[in-house]
Protein backbone atom coordinates (compact mmCIF):
# COMPACT_ATOMS: atom_id res chain seq x y z
CA UNK A 1 0.00 0.00 0.00
CA UNK A 2 1.41 3.42 -1.04
CA UNK A 3 1.50 6.32 1.38
CA UNK A 4 -1.10 8.27 -0.64
CA UNK A 5 -3.57 5.38 -0.49
CA UNK A 6 -2.92 5.08 3.22
CA UNK A 7 -3.82 8.74 4.00
CA UNK A 8 -6.25 9.37 1.13
CA UNK A 9 -9.35 9.42 3.36
CA UNK A 10 -7.70 11.71 5.91
CA UNK A 11 -6.63 14.19 3.21
CA UNK A 12 -10.09 14.27 1.64
CA UNK A 13 -11.67 14.85 5.05
CA UNK A 14 -9.27 17.75 5.79
CA UNK A 15 -9.96 19.32 2.38
CA UNK A 16 -13.72 19.06 2.95
CA UNK A 17 -13.35 20.55 6.44
CA UNK A 18 -11.20 23.44 5.12
CA UNK A 19 -13.68 24.16 2.32
CA UNK A 20 -16.59 24.12 4.80
CA UNK A 21 -15.20 26.66 7.27
CA UNK A 22 -13.96 28.92 4.42
CA UNK A 23 -17.47 28.86 2.93
CA UNK A 24 -18.91 29.63 6.35
CA UNK A 25 -16.64 32.62 6.98
CA UNK A 26 -16.89 34.07 3.45
CA UNK A 27 -20.66 33.87 3.00
CA UNK A 28 -22.18 33.73 6.49
CA UNK A 29 -19.77 36.07 8.35
CA UNK A 30 -18.91 38.75 5.77
CA UNK A 31 -17.97 41.28 8.49
CA UNK A 32 -14.95 39.19 9.61
CA UNK A 33 -11.65 40.35 8.12
CA UNK A 34 -10.47 38.00 5.40
CA UNK A 35 -6.84 38.41 6.50
CA UNK A 36 -7.59 36.35 9.60
CA UNK A 37 -9.05 33.64 7.38
CA UNK A 38 -5.96 33.54 5.12
CA UNK A 39 -3.74 33.45 8.19
CA UNK A 40 -5.69 30.50 9.56
CA UNK A 41 -5.54 28.73 6.18
CA UNK A 42 -1.75 29.17 5.96
CA UNK A 43 -1.31 28.01 9.54
CA UNK A 44 -3.41 24.89 8.97
CA UNK A 45 -1.61 24.19 5.66
CA UNK A 46 1.81 24.38 7.36
CA UNK A 47 0.62 22.05 10.13
CA UNK A 48 -0.83 19.68 7.56
CA UNK A 49 2.41 19.61 5.54
CA UNK A 50 4.45 19.05 8.67
CA UNK A 51 2.18 16.24 9.81
CA UNK A 52 2.12 14.69 6.34
CA UNK A 53 5.89 14.95 5.90
CA UNK A 54 6.55 13.36 9.26
CA UNK A 55 4.10 10.58 8.45
CA UNK A 56 5.76 10.04 5.08
CA UNK A 57 9.19 9.68 6.71
CA UNK A 58 7.78 7.15 9.18
CA UNK A 59 6.12 5.28 6.28
CA UNK A 60 9.39 5.13 4.35
CA UNK A 61 11.21 3.78 7.40
CA UNK A 62 8.55 1.12 7.89
CA UNK A 63 8.76 0.10 4.23
CA UNK A 64 12.55 -0.18 4.46
CA UNK A 65 12.22 -2.31 7.61
CA UNK A 66 9.62 -4.50 5.91
CA UNK A 67 11.86 -5.12 2.89
CA UNK A 68 14.68 -6.07 5.25
CA UNK A 69 12.52 -8.40 7.35
CA UNK A 70 11.11 -10.10 4.25
CA UNK A 71 14.59 -11.46 3.53
CA UNK A 72 14.45 -13.68 6.62
CA UNK A 73 12.50 -16.91 7.13
CA UNK A 74 10.88 -15.78 10.39
CA UNK A 75 7.45 -14.55 11.46
CA UNK A 76 7.45 -10.74 11.23
CA UNK A 77 3.77 -9.86 11.65
CA UNK A 78 4.33 -8.99 15.34
CA UNK A 79 6.65 -6.18 14.30
CA UNK A 80 3.91 -4.56 12.19
CA UNK A 81 0.97 -4.64 14.57
CA UNK A 82 -0.33 -1.31 13.20
CA UNK A 83 -1.27 -2.97 9.89
CA UNK A 84 -4.95 -2.52 9.04
CA UNK A 85 -7.11 -5.50 10.06
CA UNK A 86 -4.18 -7.03 11.91
CA UNK A 87 -6.51 -8.83 14.31
CA UNK A 88 -8.24 -10.57 11.38
CA UNK A 89 -4.93 -11.60 9.87
CA UNK A 90 -3.74 -12.89 13.25
CA UNK A 91 -6.94 -14.92 13.64
CA UNK A 92 -6.56 -16.48 10.18
CA UNK A 93 -2.90 -17.33 10.78
CA UNK A 94 -3.80 -19.03 14.06
CA UNK A 95 -6.53 -21.08 12.36
CA UNK A 96 -4.20 -22.06 9.50
CA UNK A 97 -1.51 -23.10 11.98
CA UNK A 98 -3.97 -25.33 13.80
CA UNK A 99 -5.05 -26.92 10.51
CA UNK A 100 -1.41 -27.39 9.50
CA UNK A 101 -0.54 -29.05 12.80
CA UNK A 102 -3.53 -31.37 12.45
CA UNK A 103 -2.48 -32.30 8.90
CA UNK A 104 1.13 -32.89 10.00
CA UNK A 105 -0.09 -35.15 12.80
CA UNK A 106 -2.14 -37.17 10.32
CA UNK A 107 0.84 -37.45 7.96
CA UNK A 108 3.05 -38.56 10.84
CA UNK A 109 0.52 -41.24 11.80
CA UNK A 110 0.47 -42.46 8.20
CA UNK A 111 4.28 -42.55 8.03
CA UNK A 112 4.45 -44.47 11.31
CA UNK A 113 1.94 -46.99 9.95
CA UNK A 114 3.86 -47.40 6.67
CA UNK A 115 7.17 -47.80 8.54
CA UNK A 116 5.60 -50.45 10.78
CA UNK A 117 4.24 -52.23 7.71
CA UNK A 118 7.72 -52.29 6.15
CA UNK A 119 9.14 -53.91 9.30
CA UNK A 120 6.36 -56.50 9.30
CA UNK A 121 7.00 -57.38 5.64
CA UNK A 122 10.75 -57.82 6.12
CA UNK A 123 10.25 -60.84 8.38
CA UNK A 124 8.49 -63.06 5.77
CA UNK A 125 10.83 -61.68 3.12
CA UNK A 126 13.88 -62.88 5.07
CA UNK A 127 12.22 -66.28 5.46
CA UNK A 128 11.55 -66.36 1.71
CA UNK A 129 15.22 -65.66 0.98
CA UNK A 130 16.23 -68.61 3.15
CA UNK A 131 13.66 -70.86 1.49
CA UNK A 132 14.80 -69.79 -1.98
CA UNK A 133 18.28 -71.14 -1.26
CA UNK A 134 16.81 -74.64 -0.86
CA UNK A 135 15.41 -74.73 -4.39
CA UNK A 136 17.20 -77.55 -6.19
CA UNK A 137 16.91 -76.10 -9.69
CA UNK A 138 19.91 -73.74 -9.89
CA UNK A 139 18.37 -71.48 -12.54
CA UNK A 140 15.05 -71.25 -10.73
CA UNK A 141 16.87 -70.61 -7.44
CA UNK A 142 18.90 -67.80 -9.01
CA UNK A 143 15.86 -66.12 -10.57
CA UNK A 144 13.86 -66.35 -7.36
CA UNK A 145 16.71 -64.95 -5.26
CA UNK A 146 17.20 -62.08 -7.69
CA UNK A 147 13.59 -60.96 -7.41
CA UNK A 148 13.58 -61.31 -3.63
CA UNK A 149 16.79 -59.30 -3.38
CA UNK A 150 15.22 -56.58 -5.50
CA UNK A 151 12.24 -56.47 -3.15
CA UNK A 152 14.59 -56.33 -0.16
CA UNK A 153 16.54 -53.40 -1.61
CA UNK A 154 13.37 -51.50 -2.47
CA UNK A 155 11.91 -52.10 0.99
CA UNK A 156 15.04 -50.76 2.67
CA UNK A 157 15.04 -47.68 0.45
CA UNK A 158 11.34 -47.05 1.01
CA UNK A 159 11.70 -47.48 4.79
CA UNK A 160 14.53 -44.99 5.06
CA UNK A 161 12.80 -42.66 2.60
CA UNK A 162 9.72 -42.73 4.80
CA UNK A 163 11.82 -41.81 7.83
CA UNK A 164 13.61 -38.93 6.16
CA UNK A 165 10.32 -37.42 4.99
CA UNK A 166 8.97 -37.42 8.53
CA UNK A 167 8.85 -34.43 10.85
CA UNK A 168 11.35 -36.14 13.17
CA UNK A 169 14.57 -37.12 11.46
CA UNK A 170 16.40 -39.56 13.73
CA UNK A 171 20.11 -38.80 13.55
CA UNK A 172 22.90 -40.20 15.69
CA UNK A 173 25.96 -38.24 14.66
CA UNK A 174 29.11 -39.79 16.06
CA UNK A 175 32.57 -40.93 14.89
CA UNK A 176 32.07 -43.76 12.39
CA UNK A 177 34.62 -45.75 10.40
CA UNK A 178 34.46 -44.67 6.77
CA UNK A 179 35.90 -48.00 5.62
CA UNK A 180 33.30 -49.91 7.63
CA UNK A 181 30.50 -47.93 5.96
CA UNK A 182 31.89 -48.74 2.52
CA UNK A 183 32.22 -52.45 3.32
CA UNK A 184 28.65 -52.55 4.66
CA UNK A 185 27.28 -50.98 1.49
CA UNK A 186 29.26 -53.37 -0.73
CA UNK A 187 27.89 -56.27 1.31
CA UNK A 188 24.33 -54.95 0.94
CA UNK A 189 24.70 -54.92 -2.84
CA UNK A 190 26.88 -58.01 -3.19
CA UNK A 191 24.26 -60.10 -4.99
CA UNK A 192 23.86 -57.65 -7.87
CA UNK A 193 27.56 -56.80 -7.96
CA UNK A 194 28.46 -60.47 -8.28
CA UNK A 195 25.69 -61.11 -10.79
CA UNK A 196 27.06 -58.38 -13.07
CA UNK A 197 30.66 -59.56 -12.52
CA UNK A 198 31.81 -56.25 -11.08
CA UNK A 199 35.50 -55.76 -10.47
CA UNK A 200 35.74 -53.66 -7.33
CA UNK A 201 38.81 -51.65 -6.44
CA UNK A 202 38.79 -50.25 -2.91
CA UNK A 203 41.38 -47.89 -1.44
CA UNK A 204 39.49 -46.30 1.44
CA UNK A 205 41.37 -45.06 4.47
CA UNK A 206 40.17 -46.35 7.84
CA UNK A 207 39.36 -42.87 9.11
CA UNK A 208 36.64 -41.88 11.57
CA UNK A 209 34.14 -39.36 10.24
CA UNK A 210 31.26 -37.59 11.97
CA UNK A 211 28.09 -39.04 10.47
CA UNK A 212 25.17 -41.38 11.05
CA UNK A 213 26.20 -44.84 9.85
CA UNK A 214 22.79 -46.10 8.72
CA UNK A 215 22.06 -42.96 6.70
CA UNK A 216 25.58 -42.76 5.27
CA UNK A 217 25.33 -46.41 4.16
CA UNK A 218 21.98 -45.54 2.56
CA UNK A 219 23.74 -42.86 0.47
CA UNK A 220 26.38 -45.36 -0.62
CA UNK A 221 23.70 -47.97 -1.41
CA UNK A 222 22.05 -45.50 -3.78
CA UNK A 223 25.33 -44.79 -5.56
CA UNK A 224 26.23 -48.48 -5.85
CA UNK A 225 22.71 -49.29 -6.98
CA UNK A 226 23.04 -46.73 -9.76
CA UNK A 227 26.35 -48.26 -10.77
CA UNK A 228 24.57 -51.61 -11.22
CA UNK A 229 21.70 -50.01 -13.17
CA UNK A 230 23.94 -48.11 -15.56
CA UNK A 231 26.49 -50.92 -16.05
CA UNK A 232 27.91 -51.39 -19.53
CA UNK A 233 30.29 -54.02 -20.87
CA UNK A 234 33.03 -52.92 -18.47
CA UNK A 235 31.62 -53.69 -15.01
CA UNK A 236 34.04 -51.94 -12.69
CA UNK A 237 33.66 -49.96 -9.51
CA UNK A 238 36.27 -47.92 -7.70
CA UNK A 239 36.04 -46.43 -4.22
CA UNK A 240 38.79 -44.39 -2.65
CA UNK A 241 39.27 -41.63 -0.11
CA UNK A 242 41.38 -38.47 -0.12
CA UNK A 243 42.08 -36.04 2.70
CA UNK A 244 41.23 -32.44 1.82
CA UNK A 245 42.41 -30.08 4.52
CA UNK A 246 40.37 -30.85 7.62
CA UNK A 247 37.91 -33.02 5.69
CA UNK A 248 37.86 -36.41 4.01
CA UNK A 249 36.44 -36.94 0.53
CA UNK A 250 35.11 -40.34 -0.51
CA UNK A 251 34.96 -41.00 -4.27
CA UNK A 252 32.67 -43.57 -5.91
CA UNK A 253 33.37 -44.14 -9.60
CA UNK A 254 31.80 -46.49 -12.12
CA UNK A 255 32.29 -46.93 -15.85
CA UNK A 256 28.71 -47.20 -17.03
CA UNK A 257 26.47 -45.11 -19.24
CA UNK A 258 27.50 -41.84 -17.62
CA UNK A 259 25.43 -38.67 -17.34
CA UNK A 260 24.81 -36.25 -20.16
CA UNK A 261 25.95 -32.65 -19.81
CA UNK A 262 22.37 -31.33 -19.96
CA UNK A 263 21.33 -33.66 -17.12
CA UNK A 264 24.19 -33.44 -14.66
CA UNK A 265 23.04 -30.18 -13.07
CA UNK A 266 19.58 -31.54 -12.38
CA UNK A 267 20.15 -35.13 -11.24
CA UNK A 268 19.60 -34.16 -7.58
CA UNK A 269 16.20 -32.59 -8.33
CA UNK A 270 13.08 -34.35 -7.15
CA UNK A 271 11.53 -36.54 -9.84
CA UNK A 272 14.11 -35.70 -12.51
CA UNK A 273 14.83 -38.77 -14.66
CA UNK A 274 17.09 -37.27 -17.31
CA UNK A 275 16.95 -37.46 -21.08
CA UNK A 276 18.18 -41.05 -21.37
CA UNK A 277 15.62 -43.87 -21.51
CA UNK A 278 18.22 -46.50 -20.56
CA UNK A 279 17.27 -48.63 -23.57
CA UNK A 280 14.05 -49.63 -21.83
CA UNK A 281 15.86 -51.87 -19.33
CA UNK A 282 14.30 -50.22 -16.29
CA UNK A 283 12.26 -47.23 -15.23
CA UNK A 284 13.76 -44.46 -13.14
CA UNK A 285 11.69 -42.66 -10.49
CA UNK A 286 14.02 -39.69 -10.08
CA UNK A 287 13.87 -40.05 -6.28
CA UNK A 288 17.09 -41.92 -5.47
CA UNK A 289 19.61 -39.12 -5.98
CA UNK A 290 17.13 -36.56 -4.68
CA UNK A 291 16.92 -38.45 -1.37
CA UNK A 292 20.70 -38.94 -1.41
CA UNK A 293 21.36 -35.20 -1.69
CA UNK A 294 18.71 -34.40 0.93
CA UNK A 295 20.15 -36.84 3.47
CA UNK A 296 23.73 -35.73 2.77
CA UNK A 297 22.73 -32.13 3.46
CA UNK A 298 21.13 -33.07 6.78
CA UNK A 299 24.22 -35.02 7.74
CA UNK A 300 26.36 -31.97 7.02
CA UNK A 301 28.11 -33.58 4.03
CA UNK A 302 28.67 -32.20 0.55
CA UNK A 303 27.98 -34.37 -2.47
CA UNK A 304 29.00 -33.59 -6.04
CA UNK A 305 29.28 -35.43 -9.34
CA UNK A 306 31.21 -35.33 -12.57
CA UNK A 307 30.74 -37.56 -15.58
CA UNK A 308 31.58 -38.28 -19.17
CA UNK A 309 28.86 -40.08 -21.15
CA UNK A 310 29.77 -43.70 -21.93
CA UNK A 311 33.02 -43.24 -19.97
CA UNK A 312 32.58 -42.79 -16.21
CA UNK A 313 30.52 -41.27 -13.41
CA UNK A 314 32.31 -40.09 -10.28
CA UNK A 315 30.52 -39.05 -7.10
CA UNK A 316 32.37 -37.28 -4.29
CA UNK A 317 31.16 -37.10 -0.68
CA UNK A 318 32.93 -34.60 1.55
CA UNK A 319 32.74 -35.38 5.28
CA UNK A 320 34.35 -33.97 8.42
CA UNK A 321 36.68 -36.43 10.18
CA UNK A 322 36.89 -36.93 13.92
CA UNK A 323 40.12 -36.56 15.84
CA UNK A 324 42.71 -39.26 15.23
CA UNK A 325 43.21 -41.45 12.18
CA UNK A 326 43.63 -45.18 12.17
CA UNK A 327 46.20 -46.79 9.95
CA UNK A 328 44.96 -47.17 6.40
CA UNK A 329 44.23 -50.69 5.19
CA UNK A 330 45.83 -51.94 1.98
CA UNK A 331 44.04 -51.83 -1.33
CA UNK A 332 41.37 -54.51 -1.70
CA UNK A 333 40.15 -56.05 -4.92
CA UNK A 334 37.06 -58.21 -5.20
Amino acid sequence: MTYWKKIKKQVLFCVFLCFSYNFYFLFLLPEVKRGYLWYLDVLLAVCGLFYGGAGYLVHRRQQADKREYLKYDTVISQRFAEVENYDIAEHDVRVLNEQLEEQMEQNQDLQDYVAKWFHEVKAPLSASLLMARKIEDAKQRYLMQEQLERINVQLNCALLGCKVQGSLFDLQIKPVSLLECVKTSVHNNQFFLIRNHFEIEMDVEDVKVYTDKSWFVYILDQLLGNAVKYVMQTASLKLWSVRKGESVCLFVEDHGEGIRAEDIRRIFEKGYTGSSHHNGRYKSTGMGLYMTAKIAKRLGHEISVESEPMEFTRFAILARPSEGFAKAEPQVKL
Side-chain angles (χ1 to χ4, degrees), residues 178 203 205 240-245 247-251 318:
L178 182 63
D203 187 14
E205 191 173 7
W240 74 99
S241 61
V242 176
R243 299 188 195 182
K244 291 190 175 183
S247 301
V248 176
C249 192
L250 175 66
F251 293 92
L318 192 65

Side-chain angles (χ1 to χ4, degrees), residues 115-134:
K116 183 179 179 180
W117 182 86
F118 284 142
H119 283 296
E120 294 293 335
V121 171
K122 285 185 69 67
L125 177 61
S126 299
S128 300
L129 284 169
L130 293 175
M131 294 171 62
R133 296 176 182 176
K134 298 181 180 180

